[in-house]
Amino acid sequence: MRVKFVPGEAEWPSFTALLEFRRKLAAEVGLRLDEMDGFGGTTPWSTVADPIAPLLMLEDVSGSLPVGVCATVAARLEQLTRHWRADDADVPRAAALAAALQLAARWRQRLRFQGDEG
């Protein structure tokens, strides 16, 4: 099942691929996602001050990001992925997600997960 973000064109081929992307992002800020509440661990998200946290802790199935954090998360996402290898499949996906976040902020819409059987 593909995972898309609305609005915009960002998508991952599966929830597993999206989870791996989020693990890489978490590692960029010194977190182990599997130790966090909601991912099998017990560390509360309230202990994380990084601006990328709302994206990391977002509920996969029905989650959405509020308009008020979209621009900040987009900027942080671009910053964290800027040095990733060009041949990493997550680089263009991250760029599309940052663009979707910026679009959501501009249109004053929440950024939402949307599963797609296609």
Side-chain angles (χ1 to χ4, degrees):
M1 174 183 277
R2 288 182 308 190
V3 182
K4 296 181 177 185
F5 290 86
V6 178
E9 311 247 340
E11 71 175 61
W12 270 258
S14 66
F15 282 103
T16 301
L18 179 61
L19 176 60
E20 289 307 313
F21 168 72
R22 290 162 74 188
R23 282 184 176 132
K24 286 194 297 190
L25 277 180
E28 289 289 335
V29 297
L31 296 175
R32 295 197 55 209
L33 197 59
D34 296 334
E35 294 176 356
M36 302 304 298
D37 183 43
F39 291 89
T42 58
T43 304
W45 284 102
S46 61
T47 64
V48 180
D50 195 278
I52 202 69
L55 180 62
L56 296 177
M57 66 180 171
L58 189 60
E59 168 63 42
D60 286 357
V61 177
S62 61
S64 65
L65 284 178
V67 173
V69 301
C70 287
T72 303
V73 172
R76 185 63 170 145
L77 178 59
E78 290 172 340
Q79 182 183 39
L80 292 173
T81 59
R82 187 175 297 138
H83 71 278
W84 288 6
R85 294 173 46 112
D87 62 350
D88 184 331
D90 279 329
V91 169
R93 293 176 186 145
L97 180 53
L101 285 157
Q102 292 166 349
L103 188 62
R106 190 168 38 256
W107 288 357
R108 298 179 187 218
Q109 293 182 1
R110 300 175 74 82
L111 183 82
R112 296 176 288 115
F113 276 115
Q114 177 179 316
D116 179 9
E117 293 290 337

